[in-house]
Amino acid sequence: MHETAYEITTLTPQQPTPKPGMLPTEIPPGVQMVTLPGGIRTLAYTPQQAPPAPPVPVAQPIPAWAKTTALLTPTIGGGIAAAGVGLSYAAPGLIAMSEALWAAVALIAAAAIGVPMLLRIGRSAAGAGKGSTHITQNITASGMFGKATGTINHR
């Protein structure tokens, strides 16, 4: 007989038949391989650990600029609304005032042109019989604060 590198043993009735082990991919979720205090390894259901709770957000204080803006918004809106109402009531008066201003501009323009023309016409009608008058004035003064004297010559 020749020698073999392995030994063949027979099972006795006291020894249980060894069962093939499970691969880690075959273990269902919620089941883990555990070792009992006696050293035996077995599959067991383990309690699921709840995921950690998300951190509770801490309330942030409202910035002062946001409070100021929130308080000013209705005030500004109310002011704009009041201005709109006021303009709607003032519109007829503003239209009449603008027409009156245009009339005043036309009167000023007519006066700026008409008054010099009337003066020229009046002079030429009054001076038709005689020549024009020339006035010559000579003024002299001595020193910076001296008394001034003068003569007027009509021709």
Side-chain angles (χ1 to χ4, degrees):
M1 252 185 63
H2 44 86
E3 292 187 31
T4 58
Y6 54 89
E7 182 179 333
I8 298 175
T9 58
T10 59
L11 291 175
T12 60
Q14 290 102 0
Q15 291 180 335
T17 308
K19 296 181 182 174
M22 292 180 72
L23 296 173
T25 57
E26 295 175 342
I27 298 175
V31 176
Q32 289 184 345
M33 181 69 72
V34 295
T35 304
L36 299 175
I40 301 172
R41 295 192 60 169
T42 184
L43 294 175
Y45 286 102
T46 55
Q48 291 286 340
Q49 293 182 354
V56 178
V58 178
Q60 298 291 328
I62 298 173
W65 65 266
K67 289 180 185 178
T68 304
T69 304
L71 291 173
L72 284 178
T73 301
T75 306
I76 293 171
I80 292 171
V85 169
L87 283 175
S88 69
Y89 283 122
L94 292 175
I95 291 170
M97 192 180 302
S98 70
E99 290 175 3
L101 286 175
W102 279 115
V105 168
L107 181 64
I108 291 170
I113 295 171
V115 169
M117 289 180 75
L118 287 174
L119 290 175
R120 195 171 298 145
I121 290 170
R123 282 185 189 163
S124 58
K130 56 183 179 174
S132 61
T133 304
H134 293 284
I135 299 174
T136 306
Q137 187 174 14
N138 297 322
I139 299 173
T140 59
S142 60
M144 181 177 281
F145 296 107
K147 185 175 179 182
T149 57
T151 57
I152 299 175
N153 299 320
H154 293 280
R155 290 188 194 173

